[in-house]
Amino acid sequence: MSREETALRPELYYLLSMGLRLPSDELAFQVSTGGFRQHLLAVAGSSGAQDKTSLPAVLREVWQPEMEAEELHELRREYTRLFTAPGQSLFSLYESVARGRSRILFENAQARHAEDCYRRGGLTIEKRQREPADYLPVEMEFASLLTTQLCEEETLLPLTKKQCVDLWQEFYDVHLGGWLEEYWNAVMRETKSGFYRRLAETGAVFAGWEQRQRPVWEWGTGQQKEQSACGSHRESE
Protein backbone atom coordinates (compact mmCIF):
# COMPACT_ATOMS: atom_id res chain seq x y z
CA MET A 1 0.00 0.00 0.00
CA SER A 2 1.57 3.29 -1.08
CA ARG A 3 1.55 6.39 1.10
CA GLU A 4 -0.63 8.10 -1.50
CA GLU A 5 -3.19 5.32 -1.35
CA THR A 6 -3.11 5.33 2.43
CA ALA A 7 -3.76 9.06 2.54
CA LEU A 8 -6.87 8.57 0.38
CA ARG A 9 -8.64 6.29 2.86
CA PRO A 10 -9.96 8.82 5.40
CA GLU A 11 -11.05 11.19 2.65
CA LEU A 12 -12.87 8.49 0.70
CA TYR A 13 -14.69 7.19 3.76
CA TYR A 14 -15.78 10.76 4.52
CA LEU A 15 -16.93 11.51 0.97
CA LEU A 16 -18.88 8.24 0.80
CA SER A 17 -20.45 9.07 4.16
CA MET A 18 -21.58 12.46 2.84
CA GLY A 19 -22.84 10.89 -0.39
CA LEU A 20 -25.08 8.48 1.52
CA ARG A 21 -26.84 11.25 3.43
CA LEU A 22 -29.94 13.08 2.24
CA PRO A 23 -28.70 15.54 -0.40
CA SER A 24 -28.33 19.07 0.94
CA ASP A 25 -28.26 22.40 -0.88
CA GLU A 26 -24.47 22.37 -0.52
CA LEU A 27 -24.09 18.90 -2.03
CA ALA A 28 -26.38 19.83 -4.94
CA PHE A 29 -24.33 22.97 -5.52
CA GLN A 30 -21.07 21.00 -5.50
CA VAL A 31 -22.49 18.40 -7.89
CA SER A 32 -24.05 20.92 -10.30
CA THR A 33 -20.95 23.13 -10.44
CA GLY A 34 -18.51 20.24 -10.69
CA GLY A 35 -17.01 21.00 -7.28
CA PHE A 36 -17.52 17.47 -5.94
CA ARG A 37 -15.85 16.00 -9.03
CA GLN A 38 -12.95 18.43 -8.85
CA HIS A 39 -12.44 17.76 -5.15
CA LEU A 40 -12.28 14.02 -5.69
CA LEU A 41 -9.86 14.45 -8.58
CA ALA A 42 -7.72 16.66 -6.36
CA VAL A 43 -7.79 14.02 -3.63
CA ALA A 44 -6.71 11.35 -6.13
CA GLY A 45 -3.94 13.71 -7.27
CA SER A 46 -1.36 12.65 -9.82
CA SER A 47 0.17 9.85 -7.76
CA GLY A 48 0.50 6.42 -9.25
CA ALA A 49 0.49 7.85 -12.78
CA GLN A 50 2.61 4.96 -14.05
CA ASP A 51 0.42 2.32 -12.40
CA LYS A 52 -2.98 2.31 -14.07
CA THR A 53 -4.30 -0.19 -11.52
CA SER A 54 -3.49 1.92 -8.45
CA LEU A 55 -6.40 3.28 -6.42
CA PRO A 56 -5.69 6.95 -7.35
CA ALA A 57 -5.43 6.09 -11.05
CA VAL A 58 -8.72 4.16 -11.05
CA LEU A 59 -10.50 6.98 -9.23
CA ARG A 60 -9.19 9.51 -11.73
CA GLU A 61 -10.57 7.35 -14.54
CA VAL A 62 -13.98 7.25 -12.83
CA TRP A 63 -14.21 11.01 -12.23
CA GLN A 64 -12.23 12.50 -15.13
CA PRO A 65 -15.13 12.78 -17.63
CA GLU A 66 -17.37 15.80 -17.20
CA MET A 67 -20.58 15.07 -15.31
CA GLU A 68 -24.06 16.34 -16.12
CA ALA A 69 -25.46 18.82 -13.60
CA GLU A 70 -28.20 17.49 -11.33
CA GLU A 71 -30.47 19.75 -9.32
CA LEU A 72 -31.35 19.24 -5.66
CA HIS A 73 -34.82 17.89 -6.40
CA GLU A 74 -33.37 15.38 -8.88
CA LEU A 75 -30.76 14.16 -6.40
CA ARG A 76 -33.33 13.85 -3.62
CA ARG A 77 -35.78 11.99 -5.83
CA GLU A 78 -33.14 9.43 -6.79
CA TYR A 79 -31.81 9.23 -3.23
CA THR A 80 -35.32 8.48 -1.97
CA ARG A 81 -35.91 5.86 -4.66
CA LEU A 82 -32.64 4.12 -3.87
CA PHE A 83 -32.43 4.37 -0.10
CA THR A 84 -35.37 5.75 1.86
CA ALA A 85 -38.76 5.28 0.14
CA PRO A 86 -40.97 3.61 2.82
CA GLY A 87 -41.44 -0.02 1.86
CA GLN A 88 -40.14 0.61 -1.65
CA SER A 89 -36.48 1.60 -1.38
CA LEU A 90 -34.03 -0.66 -3.16
CA PHE A 91 -31.17 -0.51 -0.66
CA SER A 92 -31.10 -0.10 3.10
CA LEU A 93 -28.79 2.41 4.77
CA TYR A 94 -28.75 0.26 7.91
CA GLU A 95 -26.00 -2.35 7.92
CA SER A 96 -28.02 -4.98 9.77
CA VAL A 97 -30.87 -4.74 7.24
CA ALA A 98 -28.62 -4.43 4.17
CA ARG A 99 -26.77 -7.61 5.18
CA GLY A 100 -29.92 -9.51 6.10
CA ARG A 101 -28.86 -9.78 9.75
CA SER A 102 -31.92 -8.14 11.33
CA ARG A 103 -34.89 -5.96 10.45
CA ILE A 104 -35.18 -4.66 13.99
CA LEU A 105 -33.49 -1.26 14.14
CA PHE A 106 -31.46 -0.07 17.16
CA GLU A 107 -31.73 -3.33 19.13
CA ASN A 108 -29.64 -5.71 17.07
CA ALA A 109 -26.13 -7.12 17.30
CA GLN A 110 -24.63 -4.90 14.59
CA ALA A 111 -25.99 -1.69 16.06
CA ARG A 112 -24.97 -2.61 19.61
CA HIS A 113 -21.43 -3.49 18.54
CA ALA A 114 -21.08 -0.31 16.46
CA GLU A 115 -22.22 1.81 19.41
CA ASP A 116 -19.72 0.05 21.67
CA CYS A 117 -16.94 0.85 19.17
CA TYR A 118 -17.96 4.51 19.09
CA ARG A 119 -17.84 4.69 22.86
CA ARG A 120 -14.43 3.02 22.99
CA GLY A 121 -13.29 5.57 20.43
CA GLY A 122 -14.23 8.35 22.82
CA LEU A 123 -17.45 9.44 21.12
CA THR A 124 -20.53 10.41 23.07
CA ILE A 125 -23.74 8.73 21.95
CA GLU A 126 -26.85 10.86 22.38
CA LYS A 127 -29.67 9.09 24.18
CA ARG A 128 -32.19 10.37 21.65
CA GLN A 129 -30.12 9.70 18.56
CA ARG A 130 -32.16 9.79 15.38
CA GLU A 131 -30.48 6.86 13.67
CA PRO A 132 -29.28 3.42 14.82
CA ALA A 133 -25.54 3.07 15.36
CA ASP A 134 -25.23 0.82 12.29
CA TYR A 135 -26.42 3.63 9.99
CA LEU A 136 -23.95 3.39 7.09
CA PRO A 137 -23.11 7.12 6.82
CA VAL A 138 -22.19 7.13 10.53
CA GLU A 139 -20.14 3.94 10.22
CA MET A 140 -18.19 5.42 7.32
CA GLU A 141 -17.65 8.69 9.14
CA PHE A 142 -16.26 6.73 12.09
CA ALA A 143 -14.02 4.81 9.67
CA SER A 144 -12.76 8.15 8.37
CA LEU A 145 -11.98 9.27 11.92
CA LEU A 146 -10.10 6.08 12.80
CA THR A 147 -8.09 5.87 9.59
CA THR A 148 -7.12 9.51 10.00
CA GLN A 149 -5.79 8.80 13.48
CA LEU A 150 -3.89 5.71 12.33
CA CYS A 151 -1.68 7.86 10.13
CA GLU A 152 -0.91 10.50 12.76
CA GLU A 153 2.16 10.31 14.98
CA GLU A 154 -0.09 10.67 18.03
CA THR A 155 -3.76 9.83 18.17
CA LEU A 156 -6.16 12.53 19.32
CA LEU A 157 -8.54 9.86 20.59
CA PRO A 158 -8.42 8.57 24.19
CA LEU A 159 -6.56 5.50 22.92
CA THR A 160 -2.99 4.35 22.54
CA LYS A 161 -1.82 3.83 18.97
CA LYS A 162 -2.14 0.05 19.36
CA GLN A 163 -5.65 0.39 20.79
CA CYS A 164 -6.58 2.59 17.84
CA VAL A 165 -5.23 0.03 15.36
CA ASP A 166 -7.00 -2.83 17.15
CA LEU A 167 -10.29 -0.90 17.27
CA TRP A 168 -10.05 -0.08 13.58
CA GLN A 169 -9.41 -3.68 12.57
CA GLU A 170 -12.24 -4.93 14.78
CA PHE A 171 -14.64 -2.33 13.42
CA TYR A 172 -13.65 -3.04 9.83
CA ASP A 173 -13.92 -6.81 10.21
CA VAL A 174 -17.33 -6.69 11.90
CA HIS A 175 -18.99 -3.87 9.95
CA LEU A 176 -17.31 -2.98 6.66
CA GLY A 177 -15.32 -5.92 5.35
CA GLY A 178 -16.55 -8.50 2.88
CA TRP A 179 -19.86 -7.04 1.69
CA LEU A 180 -19.67 -3.37 0.67
CA GLU A 181 -18.19 -4.00 -2.78
CA GLU A 182 -21.25 -6.03 -3.75
CA TYR A 183 -23.57 -3.43 -2.17
CA TRP A 184 -22.02 -0.55 -4.13
CA ASN A 185 -21.99 -2.56 -7.36
CA ALA A 186 -25.72 -3.21 -6.97
CA VAL A 187 -26.37 0.52 -6.42
CA MET A 188 -24.26 1.32 -9.49
CA ARG A 189 -26.32 -1.07 -11.65
CA GLU A 190 -29.63 0.30 -10.41
CA THR A 191 -29.21 4.06 -10.22
CA LYS A 192 -30.40 6.42 -12.93
CA SER A 193 -28.27 9.29 -11.65
CA GLY A 194 -24.85 10.13 -13.03
CA PHE A 195 -23.71 11.34 -9.63
CA TYR A 196 -24.86 8.25 -7.72
CA ARG A 197 -23.45 5.99 -10.43
CA ARG A 198 -20.00 7.51 -9.96
CA LEU A 199 -20.34 7.56 -6.18
CA ALA A 200 -21.29 3.86 -6.21
CA GLU A 201 -18.44 2.99 -8.58
CA THR A 202 -16.07 4.82 -6.24
CA GLY A 203 -17.47 2.89 -3.29
CA ALA A 204 -17.15 -0.46 -5.09
CA VAL A 205 -13.58 0.22 -6.24
CA PHE A 206 -12.57 1.41 -2.78
CA ALA A 207 -14.30 -1.45 -0.92
CA GLY A 208 -12.60 -4.02 -3.13
CA TRP A 209 -9.23 -2.34 -2.71
CA GLU A 210 -9.68 -2.08 1.07
CA GLN A 211 -10.55 -5.76 1.31
CA ARG A 212 -7.42 -6.71 -0.60
CA GLN A 213 -5.26 -4.39 1.52
CA ARG A 214 -6.75 -5.51 4.82
CA PRO A 215 -4.04 -5.38 7.51
CA VAL A 216 -3.24 -8.67 9.25
CA TRP A 217 -2.12 -8.60 12.88
CA GLU A 218 -1.11 -11.18 15.45
CA TRP A 219 -3.81 -10.54 17.99
CA GLY A 220 -2.67 -9.96 21.55
CA THR A 221 0.95 -9.23 20.64
CA GLY A 222 0.71 -6.15 18.48
CA GLN A 223 3.19 -7.80 16.09
CA GLN A 224 2.43 -7.10 12.47
CA LYS A 225 2.39 -9.95 9.97
CA GLU A 226 1.93 -7.84 6.86
CA GLN A 227 1.15 -4.15 6.49
CA SER A 228 -0.27 -1.83 9.07
CA ALA A 229 -3.16 0.42 8.26
CA CYS A 230 -0.62 3.10 7.37
CA GLY A 231 1.45 0.97 5.07
CA SER A 232 4.54 0.74 7.26
CA HIS A 233 6.39 -2.37 8.44
CA ARG A 234 7.16 -1.52 12.03
CA GLU A 235 5.77 -2.95 15.21
CA SER A 236 2.92 -1.13 16.85
CA GLU A 237 3.61 1.20 19.69
Side-chain angles (χ1 to χ4, degrees):
M1 183 191 309
S2 70
R3 288 183 178 275
E4 291 80 6
E5 288 175 320
T6 297
L8 273 172
R9 298 165 83 213
E11 191 74 24
L12 287 175
Y13 276 122
Y14 181 76
L15 289 174
L16 291 170
S17 170
M18 293 301 99
L20 282 178
R21 296 181 186 274
L22 179 68
S24 62
D25 290 328
E26 176 61 23
L27 178 65
F29 176 77
Q30 293 298 331
V31 171
S32 64
T33 61
F36 192 97
R37 169 179 166 271
Q38 290 298 328
H39 178 69
L40 209 145
L41 286 172
V43 169
S46 59
S47 60
Q50 302 304 316
D51 183 1
K52 302 302 183 183
T53 64
S54 69
L55 180 60
V58 174
L59 291 177
R60 287 195 298 274
E61 185 176 345
V62 171
W63 289 92
Q64 193 65 53
E66 294 287 343
M67 188 167 58
E68 291 186 13
E70 294 180 71
E71 301 298 326
L72 178 61
H73 71 278
E74 296 174 308
L75 291 171
R76 286 191 170 178
R77 181 171 60 236
E78 181 65 353
Y79 179 88
T80 300
R81 187 182 77 87
L82 291 172
F83 302 116
T84 62
Q88 301 178 21
S89 61
L90 300 173
F91 306 98
S92 178
L93 290 174
Y94 305 107
E95 181 205 345
S96 54
V97 178
R99 301 179 73 176
R101 300 288 181 84
S102 174
R103 299 197 66 83
I104 301 175
L105 301 183
F106 291 96
E107 291 301 320
N108 63 71
Q110 299 301 113
R112 286 193 294 270
H113 184 269
E115 183 170 341
D116 178 61
C117 287
Y118 303 155
R119 293 186 187 281
R120 282 187 280 154
L123 303 184
T124 300
I125 310 299
E126 295 182 4
K127 292 183 178 180
R128 295 185 178 182
Q129 58 186 2
R130 296 176 57 187
E131 299 289 356
D134 66 337
Y135 184 51
L136 273 176
V138 173
E139 290 190 334
M140 291 192 181
E141 194 167 352
F142 185 63
S144 177
L145 172 66
L146 284 182
T147 53
T148 297
Q149 296 304 308
L150 290 175
C151 294
E152 299 292 337
E153 289 299 322
E154 295 184 6
T155 175
L156 299 178
L157 301 176
L159 302 169
T160 66
K161 194 62 174 285
K162 182 185 182 303
Q163 287 173 330
C164 191
V165 170
D166 287 350
L167 179 58
W168 161 242
Q169 183 156 330
E170 178 184 343
F171 187 78
Y172 176 81
D173 286 347
V174 174
H175 298 284
L176 304 179
W179 72 281
L180 277 173
E181 184 177 13
E182 181 180 347
Y183 177 90
W184 283 116
N185 275 324
V187 174
M188 183 170 58
R189 289 192 298 268
E190 186 63 39
T191 185
K192 301 174 182 178
S193 158
F195 170 71
Y196 283 111
R197 184 174 297 109
R198 291 200 199 186
L199 185 79
E201 186 172 1
T202 299
V205 167
F206 180 46
W209 176 86
E210 186 79 302
Q211 187 71 33
R212 291 188 297 274
Q213 298 293 332
R214 179 190 176 278
V216 179
W217 286 71
E218 290 284 2
W219 289 93
T221 67
Q223 297 291 326
Q224 204 170 25
K225 292 175 66 177
E226 293 183 2
Q227 285 186 319
S228 78
C230 287
S232 65
H233 292 272
R234 65 176 184 272
E235 295 180 0
S236 71
E237 297 174 2

